[in-house]
Amino acid sequence: MGKTPSSSATAESPTTTPHTHRKMALRPRPTVTMKEKEISTEKKRPKMGANKNKKKKLDDANKPKKPPTAFFYFLEDFRKEFQEQNPNVRSMREIGKACGDKWKIMTYEEKVQYYDIATEKRAKFEKALADYVKKQENGEYDKSDDDSDYDA
């Protein structure tokens, strides 16, 4: 004559009722409509003009560019071979897709030559970047030097 759980006890415990995990508390909806929200966000956002982009380009004119990855060196070689084998295919999308598929199935030993090229280029880039940073700290890349080219 043990006690059996009552039906009210099983309804309260989350482990015994299968539908309690589906119930969620509802949050009140915002009173602002989507159109009002778009209008209000447009007013609050500061406009990002072309002046900021131009300034960045002027400051970084002498900065060395990052070298491509090993995949891009492979892409260069693959594109030449692929166009010789398939002269009628002109779509960059199809060429890129075929290149990506080929890169995925290549073994590491086949990719090593491209990784070596990328590593060499990366080392040259890091050296050039270090020189650029030194020159910038010494003041060799002043804004006045850039402006003098435009005055002439």
Side-chain angles (χ1 to χ4, degrees):
M1 314 218 158
K3 294 183 180 179
T4 59
S6 65
S7 62
S8 63
T10 57
E12 292 175 331
S13 68
T15 57
T16 57
T17 56
H19 300 291
T20 55
H21 67 280
R22 292 185 186 166
K23 293 181 181 177
M24 295 179 8
L26 297 176
R27 289 183 277 170
R29 292 185 176 228
T31 56
V32 179
T33 64
M34 288 303 290
K35 288 183 180 178
E36 292 172 353
K37 190 181 245 186
E38 289 174 4
I39 293 169
S40 65
T41 55
E42 287 177 11
K43 293 178 184 175
K44 291 180 184 177
R45 280 190 191 152
K47 292 188 178 182
M48 304 300 280
N51 294 338
K52 186 173 184 178
N53 293 336
K54 287 181 183 177
K55 182 179 178 185
K56 185 176 181 181
K57 286 182 182 178
L58 287 176
D59 289 345
D60 295 337
N62 297 318
K63 187 174 182 180
K65 293 187 178 186
K66 288 185 181 180
T69 62
F71 175 75
F72 284 99
Y73 290 110
F74 168 71
L75 178 64
E76 192 176 310
D77 290 344
F78 180 82
R79 191 179 300 141
K80 292 174 187 173
E81 294 173 16
F82 188 80
Q83 286 179 346
E84 288 174 5
Q85 294 172 358
N86 306 304
N88 57 346
V89 177
R90 297 285 179 194
S91 170
M92 286 302 294
R93 181 176 183 227
E94 292 178 25
I95 296 170
K97 204 171 196 178
C99 182
D101 292 340
K102 172 81 173 179
W103 181 258
K104 286 178 187 176
I105 62 171
M106 285 175 66
T107 62
Y108 181 75
E109 288 79 24
E110 294 172 324
K111 295 179 183 180
V112 167
Q113 63 180 352
Y114 301 107
Y115 284 123
D116 291 342
I117 294 168
T119 304
E120 290 173 14
K121 299 285 185 177
R122 184 69 180 192
K124 289 179 184 177
F125 164 75
E126 288 174 356
K127 184 178 177 185
L129 186 64
D131 292 342
Y132 168 78
V133 169
K134 278 184 189 176
K135 287 181 179 180
Q136 201 170 31
E137 288 174 353
N138 293 338
E140 292 181 31
Y141 292 129
D142 286 340
K143 292 179 184 176
S144 61
D145 293 341
D146 292 336
D147 291 341
S148 63
D149 294 341
Y150 295 114
D151 292 339

